[in-house]
Amino acid sequence: HVLTHILQKGRILCFDEFQVTDVADALLLRRLFTGLVDRGAVVVATSNRAPRELYKGGLQRELFVPFVDWLEETLVVVGMWDSEVDYRLVMSGG
């Protein structure tokens, strides 16, 4: 089982620059995230988009919307879009 194999390696998983580009990925990510969290994993993801903006305008997006609802209800979403500091520039000295 894929989830068991992943969790044998660690219980904290990080996804940097999380984005969804097609319906197949959307549905796979839904099963992956819900399965990991249901088994006690901690999932951290960064994205340039708020959860509601993921896969916006995508084909059959209505199949993905329940996952967006689950993300917002189950996980802690921390928005940086209202910040006056662009932390990418802080680290680069820009």
Side-chain angles (χ1 to χ4, degrees):
H1 196 261
V2 173
L3 294 174
T4 302
H5 181 73
I6 291 171
L7 292 171
Q8 287 174 346
K9 304 290 183 184
R11 299 203 79 65
I12 300 174
L13 285 96
C14 299
F15 297 87
D16 191 27
E17 296 295 329
F18 182 73
Q19 55 183 318
V20 181
T21 56
D22 66 56
V23 70
D25 288 347
L27 298 177
L28 284 172
L29 288 167
R30 177 182 181 178
R31 290 186 65 192
L32 176 67
F33 272 53
T34 57
L36 289 169
V37 170
D38 287 347
R39 288 167 178 77
V42 174
V43 177
V44 178
T46 67
S47 179
N48 289 330
R49 293 174 173 76
R52 284 273 157 220
E53 300 297 313
L54 290 171
Y55 199 49
K56 192 169 188 175
L59 231 74
Q60 297 178 317
R61 186 173 188 272
E62 68 278 0
L63 299 175
F64 184 66
V65 171
F67 175 56
V68 173
D69 295 338
W70 178 87
L71 283 172
E72 293 178 337
E73 292 167 6
T74 307
L75 306 180
V76 176
V77 177
V78 178
M80 300 298 291
W81 40 86
D82 292 328
S83 176
E84 294 181 17
V85 177
D86 185 338
Y87 290 95
R88 297 167 297 183
L89 297 175
V90 171
M91 294 303 295
S92 68

